[in-house]
Amino acid sequence: MLDAILRPRSIAVIGASRRPDTIGYQILHNLLHHGFTGPVYPVNPRAEVIHSIRAYRSILDVPEVVDLAVIVVPKDAVIGVAEQCIRKGVAGLVVISAGFREVGGEGVERERALQDLVRQHGIRLVGPNCMGVLNTDPSISMNATFAPTMPPAGGVALMSQSGAMGVSILDYAGALDFGISSFVSAGNKADVSGNDLLEYWKDDPATRLVMMYLESFGNPAKFLALAREVTRQKPLFIVKSGRTRAGARAAASHTGSLAGTDAAVDALLTQSGVIRAETVEELFDLAMAFDNQPIPRGDRVAIVSNAGGPGIIIADTCEARGLTVTELSADTQSGLRAALPDEASVRNPVDLIASARAESYELALDAVLADDGVDAAIAAFVPPLGIQARDVAAAIVRVKQRHQAKPVLAVLMGRQGLPAGLAELHAADVPGYIFPESAARALAAMDRYRRWLDRPPGAIVEFPSADERLAALFERVRAAGRAQLLAPEAMELLEAIGVPTAAWAVAGDPAEARAAAEKLGFPVALKAVSERVIHKTDVGGVALGLVSPAETEEGCRQMLGRVRERTGADDAAVLVQRMVQGRREVIVGTSLVPRFGHLVMFGLGGIYVEAMEDVVFRVSPLSDQDAREMTRGLRGSRLLAGIRGEPSVDFSALEEVLLRVSQLVQRHPMVVELDVNPIMALPDGAVAVDARVSLAEGAATDEASEERAEAGRWG
């Protein structure tokens, strides 16, 4: 529990100062100024009184019980102060001091020693290198931060990994009069992590939604499980910085080159129902809508504006983000036509024209919200001469009060009357925005959350596993001193996990190739097999569509000659494979992403995978619902569903391939990269034609296991 940190009954500020330009002064000032409801004990060995309160030389000199100690001392003194707090029986620490892991070198060891100390004695620690914590509950009224502003009380819990961003976010919340329930600046997350806070806020009745600014995930698997629980009860918004991973471009496989860390973050958040914001501004745009409006019952939106441009922008943004700018009913349009000027447009978006007064807004907005075919509305106003934004805002508020079951968002553009109009809206809990795109994005996010709540939770499907066969295969590859599986070994792996493959055989010379082709049936393909061949096409190691024994024999002879000449591979052989007829190709892949585990990919395959990059990712293990969404989540999914009379591919077969690959890497994490490309997607099944597989080299698997265990220890 984190009550000692977020709901303390008493607080000591160790490093409290009489100098106004210090953090120790500001934290003590904030606690007193904002009326913390318990006793506050300044600790400073060189002061007897601070802020007219008796100060103590040491935490050990404080005569009463102390729940929380806020530590603001030089980095080298932190461990000693923490030890004194433990002796005193303090249950929670907030270490503001910097100079730990973030500076590297000795700071890393200093932080580890602090971690070990608090873990050993079972107390909780926020930080180090943070800006503090606050709780606006009137029964607590705690501002133990050095932020210059205290936000109003509300239902939004907020965590920031960056202290500087935390100050900015709290300042922004105050300017918007945006209510915060509690706030934690996590800093280095040496002990209390984002996962710990999610677990706490999940059951906190004062918290209606959660916002987080993150720079890293300590334990993504635990986050996935927790976030799925949280988002079934309350919305969770995250800004995650650090979107690039240059090293991913150097990966050998298609999946590796596409599966950067940010792709893993997106997959993780999508799978857990989290709504990702691109900026802190968007974070607040989303939270304003979710905090005060009901979740829409569907995706049909009506738009009311007094200008064509904003209405068009809102409509475009809504449609681009999955909302439907719905057709208004004939009755609604008829009623609007009778009440509005001839120049007005009564189709959706409704254009009231520039001369529309507040009464017209009230009438039109009332009419569209009464339409059974409308689930939500956005009202946009550009102030012409003589019409006040505040009057229009008041009209929107009156309509909203009559339609509580449907969300209403407002856009007030221009500077004239803007502050008063927005204040009118916010006072009535109607989210108001300055730009049309902001309102549309917020409503689209609400609809995505609706779909998440309606989404079946999914289940992990288990298949029979040929673990002994796979272990023997991996041992043979490693004994040969290789990390890359040869083509026949890759096909054997697929067969072992139950993925259907195109019939194949290995031939060492032209005669064997001819015999294999006659047995498999024509047409066949030939593929070079050698430890020295990485990219078969680069050395002329692929021949397709061979239709006779003689053509196969001659094709094998020429291929072996080319490969041996270009690579010196005297041991080269060919894989003879029956060709599968089918026009739609897909790729299934997986790649190990540090700290996230295996990322599974699905996309359009063959030669188009990297050119089009029409792929989706999810973090393993996949549920059946994850696999279902992946196969239908491509931009080109209509190609798979069938166009111009083509039958649909067998989506269930593709889902099963994804689930079997996910199970493979869960049971055999030494498979660090795998591409099954192409898979022929057929109306009655799916058949793998080619695959590339890489294993961890040497101790890499052990290191990955240790990294996962470390993530588990530190949340």
Side-chain angles (χ1 to χ4, degrees), residues 410-618:
V411 180
L412 301 185
M413 303 178 67
R415 298 176 61 184
Q416 182 180 357
L418 184 61
L422 290 176
E424 182 89 25
L425 293 170
H426 293 163
D429 291 336
V430 175
Y433 302 92
I434 300 174
F435 298 107
E437 299 93 338
S438 301
R441 283 196 302 260
L443 185 58
M446 296 178 79
D447 183 62
R448 288 201 308 275
Y449 186 63
R450 172 191 63 82
R451 285 185 269 122
W452 167 256
L453 293 177
D454 292 342
R455 174 191 190 266
I460 303 297
V461 181
E462 292 191 7
F463 301 95
S465 179
D467 290 330
E468 293 183 3
R469 180 181 175 187
L470 289 168
L473 170 62
F474 298 150
E475 185 57 36
R476 292 201 309 272
V477 173
R478 283 181 160 175
R482 290 186 281 112
Q484 190 87 22
L485 271 64
L486 301 178
E489 295 165 338
M491 302 308 288
E492 182 182 348
L493 178 147
L494 294 179
E495 291 176 353
I497 66 174
V499 173
T501 61
W504 59 278
V506 177
D509 57 46
E512 289 183 1
R514 175 182 183 135
E518 290 176 329
K519 183 176 180 180
L520 293 172
F522 293 97
V524 297
L526 302 180
K527 302 173 184 179
V529 178
S530 171
E531 295 182 16
R532 298 191 181 186
V533 175
I534 297 176
H535 299 289
K536 298 183 288 291
T537 54
D538 292 347
V539 295
V542 177
L544 304 176
L546 308 178
V547 297
S548 69
E551 191 175 5
T552 302
E553 188 170 359
E554 181 59 25
C556 177
R557 180 178 294 107
Q558 293 182 13
M559 180 178 293
L560 290 177
R562 286 193 302 270
V563 171
R564 289 166 180 165
E565 178 183 352
R566 295 176 185 180
T567 68
D570 295 333
D571 63 339
V574 296
L575 183 133
V576 185
Q577 191 171 47
R578 172 71 184 270
M579 294 194 68
V580 179
Q581 300 303 315
R583 300 203 313 168
R584 287 169 288 184
E585 301 178 356
V586 299
I587 179 174
V588 171
T590 182
S591 180
L592 181 63
V593 179
R595 301 199 72 82
F596 281 84
H598 283 84
L599 206 57
V600 179
M601 179 181 76
F602 176 77
L604 296 180
I607 63 174
Y608 302 108
V609 58
E610 286 184 340
M612 298 179 67
E613 291 193 8
D614 190 5
V615 295
V616 291
F617 295 98
R618 295 292 185 271

Side-chain angles (χ1 to χ4, degrees), residues 7 137 154-157 181 203-208 234:
R7 301 186 66 87
D137 184 337
V156 180
S181 60
D203 300 319
D204 179 21
T207 295
R208 295 191 300 271
K234 54 191 73 173

Side-chain angles (χ1 to χ4, degrees), residues 70 85 194 459 485 701:
V70 182
C85 290
L485 271 64
T701 302

Side-chain angles (χ1 to χ4, degrees), residues 14 58-60 69 71 73 76-91 93 95 110 113-118 120-121 123 125:
I14 305 177
S58 162
I59 185 70
L60 298 174
I71 300 175
V73 300
D76 293 325
V78 168
I79 297 294
V81 167
E83 289 172 340
Q84 291 179 345
C85 290
I86 291 168
R87 288 167 56 193
K88 175 65 179 175
V90 175
L93 305 179
V95 178
R110 189 178 296 116
L114 183 60
Q115 282 178 335
D116 292 342
L117 181 65
V118 298
Q120 179 184 351
H121 292 89
I123 67 173
L125 161 74

Side-chain angles (χ1 to χ4, degrees), residues 659-689:
L659 293 172
R660 288 181 179 274
V661 168
S662 174
Q663 178 175 287
L664 166 69
V665 294
Q666 286 295 303
R667 298 179 71 93
H668 301 278
M670 71 284 295
V671 178
V672 294
E673 287 186 358
L674 178 150
D675 279 337
V676 190
N677 183 36
I679 296 175
M680 308 307 296
L682 307 173
D684 56 351
V687 180
V689 174

Side-chain angles (χ1 to χ4, degrees), residues 216-230:
S216 65
F217 288 91
N219 186 341
K222 184 177 178 182
F223 173 87
L224 177 60
L226 270 172
R228 277 176 168 164
E229 291 183 33
V230 171

